[in-house]
Amino acid sequence: AQSVTQLDSHVSVSEGTPVLLRCNYSSSYSPSLFWYVQHPNKGLQLLLKYTSAATLVKGINGFEAEFKKSETSFHLTKPSAHMSDAAEYFCVVSGSARQLTFGSGTQLTVLP
Amino acid sequence: NAGVTQTPKFQVLKTGQSMTLQCAQDMNHNSMYWYRQDPGMGLRLIYYSASEGTTDKGEVPNGYNVSRLNKREFSLRLESAAPSQTSVYFCASSEDWDFQETQYFGPGTRLLVL
């Protein structure tokens, strides 16, 4: 069985400050982990993915995430938020079932 | 490349009506998926097609049927719509049915069942 918990349903940051979106996962198999972003009324776009290579994964638009097996975490970070980062972010796990399990999402608001 | 396209973008149905949501991809992917997105619940898998000619149930298949028409197209049918099927529906595709594969999503179909 696999599951994903996104620890914050809403996060607000000021433009230019760091972003941290938290994700914990559970999987009985060595998982693949993904972060997707969804802008209003749009489909989901892949930000980055972890597939058992380097534990620090760099994605698009300056985002990165670190896979920590001991903490079963895959938190998403960005050093400096931009107004265009305002969106909903989904942490996703994929394991032996070869199906994606989505977290419930974190809504990121960027304040001017 | 258009990627994954979905039609219609928005639909209103009355309870008991039927409709088919269409999805097509031009990336030559083998696997395709249908999800529904409800507020506060992330996306849940309805059905998937690991390869052309095969379909399987996902997490929430009740009330839906699918057809993998060819390698490009994967449709979702609601035979008798219910208000509980009000949702946003996303189609996705991936190169293969493997847990490391990236899934590419369409723009979604917003369905309201009255």
PDB file of all heavy atoms in Angstrom, chain A residues 23-56:
ATOM      1  N   CYS A  23       5.926  17.230   2.286  1.00  0.00           N
ATOM      2  CA  CYS A  23       5.280  16.002   1.823  1.00  0.00           C
ATOM      3  C   CYS A  23       5.913  14.811   2.525  1.00  0.00           C
ATOM      4  O   CYS A  23       7.130  14.654   2.516  1.00  0.00           O
ATOM      5  CB  CYS A  23       5.445  15.858   0.312  1.00  0.00           C
ATOM      6  SG  CYS A  23       4.886  14.272  -0.348  1.00  0.00           S
ATOM      7  N   ASN A  24       5.096  13.977   3.131  1.00  0.00           N
ATOM      8  CA  ASN A  24       5.535  12.683   3.663  1.00  0.00           C
ATOM      9  C   ASN A  24       4.842  11.577   2.890  1.00  0.00           C
ATOM     10  O   ASN A  24       3.702  11.728   2.463  1.00  0.00           O
ATOM     11  CB  ASN A  24       5.202  12.558   5.150  1.00  0.00           C
ATOM     12  CG  ASN A  24       6.120  13.405   6.009  1.00  0.00           C
ATOM     13  OD1 ASN A  24       7.093  13.983   5.522  1.00  0.00           O
ATOM     14  ND2 ASN A  24       5.788  13.502   7.275  1.00  0.00           N
ATOM     15  N   TYR A  25       5.523  10.473   2.738  1.00  0.00           N
ATOM     16  CA  TYR A  25       4.961   9.377   1.958  1.00  0.00           C
ATOM     17  C   TYR A  25       5.087   8.066   2.714  1.00  0.00           C
ATOM     18  O   TYR A  25       5.875   7.938   3.663  1.00  0.00           O
ATOM     19  CB  TYR A  25       5.673   9.258   0.601  1.00  0.00           C
ATOM     20  CG  TYR A  25       7.080   8.736   0.750  1.00  0.00           C
ATOM     21  CD1 TYR A  25       7.354   7.370   0.670  1.00  0.00           C
ATOM     22  CD2 TYR A  25       8.127   9.604   1.012  1.00  0.00           C
ATOM     23  CE1 TYR A  25       8.639   6.886   0.853  1.00  0.00           C
ATOM     24  CE2 TYR A  25       9.413   9.142   1.204  1.00  0.00           C
ATOM     25  CZ  TYR A  25       9.665   7.777   1.119  1.00  0.00           C
ATOM     26  OH  TYR A  25      10.932   7.309   1.308  1.00  0.00           O
ATOM     27  N   SER A  26       4.323   7.103   2.266  1.00  0.00           N
ATOM     28  CA  SER A  26       4.419   5.744   2.785  1.00  0.00           C
ATOM     29  C   SER A  26       4.358   4.796   1.601  1.00  0.00           C
ATOM     30  O   SER A  26       3.484   4.947   0.733  1.00  0.00           O
ATOM     31  CB  SER A  26       3.261   5.454   3.753  1.00  0.00           C
ATOM     32  OG  SER A  26       3.210   4.086   4.067  1.00  0.00           O
ATOM     33  N   SER A  27       5.301   3.865   1.550  1.00  0.00           N
ATOM     34  CA  SER A  27       5.302   2.901   0.457  1.00  0.00           C
ATOM     35  C   SER A  27       6.054   1.656   0.898  1.00  0.00           C
ATOM     36  O   SER A  27       7.110   1.753   1.524  1.00  0.00           O
ATOM     37  CB  SER A  27       5.962   3.500  -0.786  1.00  0.00           C
ATOM     38  OG  SER A  27       6.046   2.537  -1.815  1.00  0.00           O
ATOM     39  N   SER A  28       5.519   0.498   0.570  1.00  0.00           N
ATOM     40  CA  SER A  28       6.183  -0.761   0.916  1.00  0.00           C
ATOM     41  C   SER A  28       7.193  -1.157  -0.151  1.00  0.00           C
ATOM     42  O   SER A  28       7.820  -2.198  -0.071  1.00  0.00           O
ATOM     43  CB  SER A  28       5.139  -1.864   1.092  1.00  0.00           C
ATOM     44  OG  SER A  28       4.345  -1.966  -0.057  1.00  0.00           O
ATOM     45  N   TYR A  29       7.370  -0.320  -1.114  1.00  0.00           N
ATOM     46  CA  TYR A  29       8.258  -0.579  -2.252  1.00  0.00           C
ATOM     47  C   TYR A  29       9.135   0.647  -2.416  1.00  0.00           C
ATOM     48  O   TYR A  29       8.753   1.745  -1.979  1.00  0.00           O
ATOM     49  CB  TYR A  29       7.377  -0.786  -3.482  1.00  0.00           C
ATOM     50  CG  TYR A  29       8.069  -1.280  -4.727  1.00  0.00           C
ATOM     51  CD1 TYR A  29       8.379  -2.626  -4.872  1.00  0.00           C
ATOM     52  CD2 TYR A  29       8.369  -0.419  -5.758  1.00  0.00           C
ATOM     53  CE1 TYR A  29       8.991  -3.096  -6.013  1.00  0.00           C
ATOM     54  CE2 TYR A  29       8.987  -0.871  -6.909  1.00  0.00           C
ATOM     55  CZ  TYR A  29       9.296  -2.214  -7.029  1.00  0.00           C
ATOM     56  OH  TYR A  29       9.890  -2.670  -8.162  1.00  0.00           O
ATOM     57  N   SER A  30      10.301   0.517  -3.009  1.00  0.00           N
ATOM     58  CA  SER A  30      11.117   1.705  -3.285  1.00  0.00           C
ATOM     59  C   SER A  30      10.360   2.584  -4.267  1.00  0.00           C
ATOM     60  O   SER A  30      10.198   2.210  -5.430  1.00  0.00           O
ATOM     61  CB  SER A  30      12.462   1.290  -3.875  1.00  0.00           C
ATOM     62  OG  SER A  30      13.220   0.616  -2.924  1.00  0.00           O
ATOM     63  N   PRO A  31       9.887   3.715  -3.832  1.00  0.00           N
ATOM     64  CA  PRO A  31       8.955   4.471  -4.666  1.00  0.00           C
ATOM     65  C   PRO A  31       9.634   5.406  -5.654  1.00  0.00           C
ATOM     66  O   PRO A  31      10.807   5.750  -5.516  1.00  0.00           O
ATOM     67  CB  PRO A  31       8.190   5.289  -3.638  1.00  0.00           C
ATOM     68  CG  PRO A  31       9.223   5.581  -2.588  1.00  0.00           C
ATOM     69  CD  PRO A  31      10.110   4.351  -2.538  1.00  0.00           C
ATOM     70  N   SER A  32       8.858   5.829  -6.634  1.00  0.00           N
ATOM     71  CA  SER A  32       9.160   7.042  -7.378  1.00  0.00           C
ATOM     72  C   SER A  32       8.287   8.143  -6.782  1.00  0.00           C
ATOM     73  O   SER A  32       7.152   7.889  -6.354  1.00  0.00           O
ATOM     74  CB  SER A  32       8.844   6.874  -8.867  1.00  0.00           C
ATOM     75  OG  SER A  32       9.752   5.986  -9.461  1.00  0.00           O
ATOM     76  N   LEU A  33       8.822   9.341  -6.742  1.00  0.00           N
ATOM     77  CA  LEU A  33       8.100  10.467  -6.158  1.00  0.00           C
ATOM     78  C   LEU A  33       8.120  11.624  -7.140  1.00  0.00           C
ATOM     79  O   LEU A  33       9.126  11.863  -7.826  1.00  0.00           O
ATOM     80  CB  LEU A  33       8.728  10.887  -4.835  1.00  0.00           C
ATOM     81  CG  LEU A  33       8.570   9.882  -3.701  1.00  0.00           C
ATOM     82  CD1 LEU A  33       9.639  10.059  -2.656  1.00  0.00           C
ATOM     83  CD2 LEU A  33       7.185  10.017  -3.068  1.00  0.00           C
ATOM     84  N   PHE A  34       7.007  12.330  -7.195  1.00  0.00           N
ATOM     85  CA  PHE A  34       6.842  13.414  -8.152  1.00  0.00           C
ATOM     86  C   PHE A  34       6.249  14.627  -7.430  1.00  0.00           C
ATOM     87  O   PHE A  34       5.510  14.489  -6.452  1.00  0.00           O
ATOM     88  CB  PHE A  34       5.850  13.024  -9.264  1.00  0.00           C
ATOM     89  CG  PHE A  34       6.164  11.741  -9.981  1.00  0.00           C
ATOM     90  CD1 PHE A  34       5.862  10.514  -9.419  1.00  0.00           C
ATOM     91  CD2 PHE A  34       6.727  11.755 -11.255  1.00  0.00           C
ATOM     92  CE1 PHE A  34       6.131   9.319 -10.091  1.00  0.00           C
ATOM     93  CE2 PHE A  34       6.994  10.582 -11.933  1.00  0.00           C
ATOM     94  CZ  PHE A  34       6.699   9.354 -11.354  1.00  0.00           C
ATOM     95  N   TRP A  35       6.551  15.792  -7.961  1.00  0.00           N
ATOM     96  CA  TRP A  35       5.802  17.002  -7.647  1.00  0.00           C
ATOM     97  C   TRP A  35       5.218  17.541  -8.962  1.00  0.00           C
ATOM     98  O   TRP A  35       5.944  17.717  -9.946  1.00  0.00           O
ATOM     99  CB  TRP A  35       6.684  18.077  -7.012  1.00  0.00           C
ATOM    100  CG  TRP A  35       6.875  17.931  -5.541  1.00  0.00           C
ATOM    101  CD1 TRP A  35       7.946  17.377  -4.893  1.00  0.00           C
ATOM    102  CD2 TRP A  35       5.979  18.369  -4.506  1.00  0.00           C
ATOM    103  NE1 TRP A  35       7.765  17.441  -3.532  1.00  0.00           N
ATOM    104  CE2 TRP A  35       6.577  18.050  -3.274  1.00  0.00           C
ATOM    105  CE3 TRP A  35       4.741  19.021  -4.503  1.00  0.00           C
ATOM    106  CZ2 TRP A  35       5.968  18.349  -2.044  1.00  0.00           C
ATOM    107  CZ3 TRP A  35       4.144  19.317  -3.297  1.00  0.00           C
ATOM    108  CH2 TRP A  35       4.756  18.974  -2.079  1.00  0.00           C
ATOM    109  N   TYR A  36       3.899  17.775  -8.914  1.00  0.00           N
ATOM    110  CA  TYR A  36       3.202  18.394 -10.043  1.00  0.00           C
ATOM    111  C   TYR A  36       2.649  19.742  -9.583  1.00  0.00           C
ATOM    112  O   TYR A  36       2.281  19.912  -8.414  1.00  0.00           O
ATOM    113  CB  TYR A  36       2.027  17.523 -10.505  1.00  0.00           C
ATOM    114  CG  TYR A  36       2.396  16.342 -11.369  1.00  0.00           C
ATOM    115  CD1 TYR A  36       2.755  15.126 -10.803  1.00  0.00           C
ATOM    116  CD2 TYR A  36       2.356  16.433 -12.766  1.00  0.00           C
ATOM    117  CE1 TYR A  36       3.081  14.038 -11.598  1.00  0.00           C
ATOM    118  CE2 TYR A  36       2.662  15.351 -13.569  1.00  0.00           C
ATOM    119  CZ  TYR A  36       3.024  14.158 -12.977  1.00  0.00           C
ATOM    120  OH  TYR A  36       3.340  13.071 -13.778  1.00  0.00           O
ATOM    121  N   VAL A  37       2.531  20.667 -10.539  1.00  0.00           N
ATOM    122  CA  VAL A  37       1.937  21.975 -10.264  1.00  0.00           C
ATOM    123  C   VAL A  37       0.700  22.156 -11.153  1.00  0.00           C
ATOM    124  O   VAL A  37       0.682  21.693 -12.301  1.00  0.00           O
ATOM    125  CB  VAL A  37       2.948  23.115 -10.490  1.00  0.00           C
ATOM    126  CG1 VAL A  37       3.432  23.153 -11.930  1.00  0.00           C
ATOM    127  CG2 VAL A  37       2.337  24.476 -10.117  1.00  0.00           C
ATOM    128  N   GLN A  38      -0.327  22.770 -10.568  1.00  0.00           N
ATOM    129  CA  GLN A  38      -1.554  23.035 -11.324  1.00  0.00           C
ATOM    130  C   GLN A  38      -1.915  24.512 -11.166  1.00  0.00           C
ATOM    131  O   GLN A  38      -2.271  24.951 -10.071  1.00  0.00           O
ATOM    132  CB  GLN A  38      -2.705  22.161 -10.826  1.00  0.00           C
ATOM    133  CG  GLN A  38      -3.977  22.323 -11.632  1.00  0.00           C
ATOM    134  CD  GLN A  38      -5.118  21.455 -11.131  1.00  0.00           C
ATOM    135  OE1 GLN A  38      -5.205  21.137  -9.943  1.00  0.00           O
ATOM    136  NE2 GLN A  38      -6.003  21.063 -12.019  1.00  0.00           N
ATOM    137  N   HIS A  39      -1.837  25.241 -12.256  1.00  0.00           N
ATOM    138  CA  HIS A  39      -2.275  26.625 -12.255  1.00  0.00           C
ATOM    139  C   HIS A  39      -3.784  26.661 -12.457  1.00  0.00           C
ATOM    140  O   HIS A  39      -4.366  25.709 -12.985  1.00  0.00           O
ATOM    141  CB  HIS A  39      -1.534  27.419 -13.327  1.00  0.00           C
ATOM    142  CG  HIS A  39      -0.095  27.627 -13.005  1.00  0.00           C
ATOM    143  ND1 HIS A  39       0.352  28.642 -12.183  1.00  0.00           N
ATOM    144  CD2 HIS A  39       1.005  26.918 -13.349  1.00  0.00           C
ATOM    145  CE1 HIS A  39       1.665  28.566 -12.042  1.00  0.00           C
ATOM    146  NE2 HIS A  39       2.089  27.519 -12.739  1.00  0.00           N
ATOM    147  N   PRO A  40      -4.447  27.730 -12.049  1.00  0.00           N
ATOM    148  CA  PRO A  40      -5.910  27.777 -12.105  1.00  0.00           C
ATOM    149  C   PRO A  40      -6.469  27.404 -13.465  1.00  0.00           C
ATOM    150  O   PRO A  40      -6.020  27.906 -14.501  1.00  0.00           O
ATOM    151  CB  PRO A  40      -6.207  29.237 -11.750  1.00  0.00           C
ATOM    152  CG  PRO A  40      -5.067  29.647 -10.886  1.00  0.00           C
ATOM    153  CD  PRO A  40      -3.871  28.941 -11.452  1.00  0.00           C
ATOM    154  N   ASN A  41      -7.417  26.491 -13.442  1.00  0.00           N
ATOM    155  CA  ASN A  41      -8.131  26.045 -14.644  1.00  0.00           C
ATOM    156  C   ASN A  41      -7.206  25.428 -15.691  1.00  0.00           C
ATOM    157  O   ASN A  41      -7.493  25.497 -16.898  1.00  0.00           O
ATOM    158  CB  ASN A  41      -8.927  27.195 -15.254  1.00  0.00           C
ATOM    159  CG  ASN A  41      -9.957  27.740 -14.296  1.00  0.00           C
ATOM    160  OD1 ASN A  41     -10.665  26.980 -13.632  1.00  0.00           O
ATOM    161  ND2 ASN A  41     -10.019  29.051 -14.163  1.00  0.00           N
ATOM    162  N   LYS A  42      -6.123  24.851 -15.242  1.00  0.00           N
ATOM    163  CA  LYS A  42      -5.179  24.207 -16.143  1.00  0.00           C
ATOM    164  C   LYS A  42      -4.979  22.754 -15.727  1.00  0.00           C
ATOM    165  O   LYS A  42      -5.390  22.335 -14.643  1.00  0.00           O
ATOM    166  CB  LYS A  42      -3.822  24.929 -16.100  1.00  0.00           C
ATOM    167  CG  LYS A  42      -3.865  26.391 -16.503  1.00  0.00           C
ATOM    168  CD  LYS A  42      -4.115  26.551 -17.980  1.00  0.00           C
ATOM    169  CE  LYS A  42      -3.982  28.016 -18.389  1.00  0.00           C
ATOM    170  NZ  LYS A  42      -4.344  28.208 -19.821  1.00  0.00           N
ATOM    171  N   GLY A  43      -4.325  21.999 -16.615  1.00  0.00           N
ATOM    172  CA  GLY A  43      -3.936  20.636 -16.265  1.00  0.00           C
ATOM    173  C   GLY A  43      -2.713  20.638 -15.373  1.00  0.00           C
ATOM    174  O   GLY A  43      -2.190  21.685 -14.998  1.00  0.00           O
ATOM    175  N   LEU A  44      -2.242  19.446 -15.025  1.00  0.00           N
ATOM    176  CA  LEU A  44      -1.086  19.312 -14.151  1.00  0.00           C
ATOM    177  C   LEU A  44       0.195  19.255 -14.970  1.00  0.00           C
ATOM    178  O   LEU A  44       0.250  18.608 -16.022  1.00  0.00           O
ATOM    179  CB  LEU A  44      -1.199  18.034 -13.315  1.00  0.00           C
ATOM    180  CG  LEU A  44      -2.092  18.119 -12.083  1.00  0.00           C
ATOM    181  CD1 LEU A  44      -3.560  18.136 -12.478  1.00  0.00           C
ATOM    182  CD2 LEU A  44      -1.807  16.957 -11.153  1.00  0.00           C
ATOM    183  N   GLN A  45       1.224  19.913 -14.458  1.00  0.00           N
ATOM    184  CA  GLN A  45       2.522  19.943 -15.118  1.00  0.00           C
ATOM    185  C   GLN A  45       3.569  19.378 -14.176  1.00  0.00           C
ATOM    186  O   GLN A  45       3.602  19.749 -12.990  1.00  0.00           O
ATOM    187  CB  GLN A  45       2.870  21.383 -15.502  1.00  0.00           C
ATOM    188  CG  GLN A  45       4.213  21.534 -16.202  1.00  0.00           C
ATOM    189  CD  GLN A  45       4.582  22.975 -16.444  1.00  0.00           C
ATOM    190  OE1 GLN A  45       4.010  23.895 -15.859  1.00  0.00           O
ATOM    191  NE2 GLN A  45       5.558  23.200 -17.311  1.00  0.00           N
ATOM    192  N   LEU A  46       4.445  18.525 -14.688  1.00  0.00           N
ATOM    193  CA  LEU A  46       5.490  17.944 -13.860  1.00  0.00           C
ATOM    194  C   LEU A  46       6.527  18.999 -13.505  1.00  0.00           C
ATOM    195  O   LEU A  46       7.067  19.685 -14.374  1.00  0.00           O
ATOM    196  CB  LEU A  46       6.173  16.796 -14.597  1.00  0.00           C
ATOM    197  CG  LEU A  46       7.295  16.116 -13.832  1.00  0.00           C
ATOM    198  CD1 LEU A  46       6.723  15.294 -12.676  1.00  0.00           C
ATOM    199  CD2 LEU A  46       8.122  15.234 -14.756  1.00  0.00           C
ATOM    200  N   LEU A  47       6.820  19.114 -12.193  1.00  0.00           N
ATOM    201  CA  LEU A  47       7.900  19.987 -11.729  1.00  0.00           C
ATOM    202  C   LEU A  47       9.216  19.226 -11.642  1.00  0.00           C
ATOM    203  O   LEU A  47      10.265  19.718 -12.070  1.00  0.00           O
ATOM    204  CB  LEU A  47       7.580  20.512 -10.332  1.00  0.00           C
ATOM    205  CG  LEU A  47       6.765  21.785 -10.170  1.00  0.00           C
ATOM    206  CD1 LEU A  47       6.609  22.086  -8.687  1.00  0.00           C
ATOM    207  CD2 LEU A  47       7.426  22.947 -10.885  1.00  0.00           C
ATOM    208  N   LEU A  48       9.160  18.045 -11.036  1.00  0.00           N
ATOM    209  CA  LEU A  48      10.356  17.228 -10.862  1.00  0.00           C
ATOM    210  C   LEU A  48       9.947  15.829 -10.439  1.00  0.00           C
ATOM    211  O   LEU A  48       8.817  15.615 -10.005  1.00  0.00           O
ATOM    212  CB  LEU A  48      11.307  17.851  -9.827  1.00  0.00           C
ATOM    213  CG  LEU A  48      10.743  18.259  -8.479  1.00  0.00           C
ATOM    214  CD1 LEU A  48      10.601  17.084  -7.528  1.00  0.00           C
ATOM    215  CD2 LEU A  48      11.605  19.337  -7.837  1.00  0.00           C
ATOM    216  N   LYS A  49      10.913  14.879 -10.558  1.00  0.00           N
ATOM    217  CA  LYS A  49      10.646  13.528 -10.092  1.00  0.00           C
ATOM    218  C   LYS A  49      11.907  12.881  -9.550  1.00  0.00           C
ATOM    219  O   LYS A  49      13.025  13.207  -9.973  1.00  0.00           O
ATOM    220  CB  LYS A  49      10.037  12.677 -11.195  1.00  0.00           C
ATOM    221  CG  LYS A  49      10.981  12.267 -12.311  1.00  0.00           C
ATOM    222  CD  LYS A  49      10.240  11.319 -13.268  1.00  0.00           C
ATOM    223  CE  LYS A  49      11.127  10.824 -14.382  1.00  0.00           C
ATOM    224  NZ  LYS A  49      10.404   9.901 -15.319  1.00  0.00           N
ATOM    225  N   TYR A  50      11.715  11.981  -8.605  1.00  0.00           N
ATOM    226  CA  TYR A  50      12.773  11.183  -8.013  1.00  0.00           C
ATOM    227  C   TYR A  50      12.542   9.725  -8.389  1.00  0.00           C
ATOM    228  O   TYR A  50      11.455   9.190  -8.189  1.00  0.00           O
ATOM    229  CB  TYR A  50      12.772  11.324  -6.487  1.00  0.00           C
ATOM    230  CG  TYR A  50      13.607  10.274  -5.816  1.00  0.00           C
ATOM    231  CD1 TYR A  50      14.996  10.384  -5.775  1.00  0.00           C
ATOM    232  CD2 TYR A  50      13.022   9.146  -5.255  1.00  0.00           C
ATOM    233  CE1 TYR A  50      15.765   9.394  -5.187  1.00  0.00           C
ATOM    234  CE2 TYR A  50      13.792   8.161  -4.670  1.00  0.00           C
ATOM    235  CZ  TYR A  50      15.158   8.285  -4.639  1.00  0.00           C
ATOM    236  OH  TYR A  50      15.914   7.309  -4.057  1.00  0.00           O
ATOM    237  N   THR A  51      13.610   9.089  -8.932  1.00  0.00           N
ATOM    238  CA  THR A  51      13.467   7.682  -9.334  1.00  0.00           C
ATOM    239  C   THR A  51      14.687   6.874  -8.905  1.00  0.00           C
ATOM    240  O   THR A  51      15.213   6.079  -9.670  1.00  0.00           O
ATOM    241  CB  THR A  51      13.275   7.558 -10.851  1.00  0.00           C
ATOM    242  OG1 THR A  51      14.391   8.186 -11.492  1.00  0.00           O
ATOM    243  CG2 THR A  51      11.994   8.188 -11.314  1.00  0.00           C
ATOM    244  N   SER A  52      15.155   7.086  -7.681  1.00  0.00           N
ATOM    245  CA  SER A  52      16.236   6.314  -7.037  1.00  0.00           C
ATOM    246  C   SER A  52      17.633   6.668  -7.529  1.00  0.00           C
ATOM    247  O   SER A  52      18.548   5.910  -7.335  1.00  0.00           O
ATOM    248  CB  SER A  52      16.011   4.805  -7.168  1.00  0.00           C
ATOM    249  OG  SER A  52      16.330   4.360  -8.471  1.00  0.00           O
ATOM    250  N   ALA A  53      17.778   7.787  -8.163  1.00  0.00           N
ATOM    251  CA  ALA A  53      19.116   8.269  -8.514  1.00  0.00           C
ATOM    252  C   ALA A  53      19.551   9.254  -7.418  1.00  0.00           C
ATOM    253  O   ALA A  53      19.486   8.938  -6.257  1.00  0.00           O
ATOM    254  CB  ALA A  53      19.112   8.892  -9.898  1.00  0.00           C
ATOM    255  N   ALA A  54      19.964  10.438  -7.764  1.00  0.00           N
ATOM    256  CA  ALA A  54      20.391  11.433  -6.782  1.00  0.00           C
ATOM    257  C   ALA A  54      19.227  11.812  -5.870  1.00  0.00           C
ATOM    258  O   ALA A  54      18.099  11.974  -6.323  1.00  0.00           O
ATOM    259  CB  ALA A  54      20.902  12.683  -7.492  1.00  0.00           C
ATOM    260  N   THR A  55      19.523  11.945  -4.582  1.00  0.00           N
ATOM    261  CA  THR A  55      18.445  12.246  -3.631  1.00  0.00           C
ATOM    262  C   THR A  55      17.995  13.697  -3.693  1.00  0.00           C
ATOM    263  O   THR A  55      16.883  14.013  -3.282  1.00  0.00           O
ATOM    264  CB  THR A  55      18.873  11.914  -2.193  1.00  0.00           C
ATOM    265  OG1 THR A  55      20.076  12.634  -1.903  1.00  0.00           O
ATOM    266  CG2 THR A  55      19.128  10.422  -2.042  1.00  0.00           C
ATOM    267  N   LEU A  56      18.859  14.588  -4.179  1.00  0.00           N
ATOM    268  CA  LEU A  56      18.460  15.983  -4.391  1.00  0.00           C
ATOM    269  C   LEU A  56      18.093  16.137  -5.862  1.00  0.00           C
ATOM    270  O   LEU A  56      18.934  15.958  -6.732  1.00  0.00           O
ATOM    271  CB  LEU A  56      19.589  16.934  -3.997  1.00  0.00           C
ATOM    272  CG  LEU A  56      19.267  18.424  -4.123  1.00  0.00           C
ATOM    273  CD1 LEU A  56      18.115  18.806  -3.185  1.00  0.00           C
ATOM    274  CD2 LEU A  56      20.498  19.275  -3.823  1.00  0.00           C
TER     275      LEU A  56
END
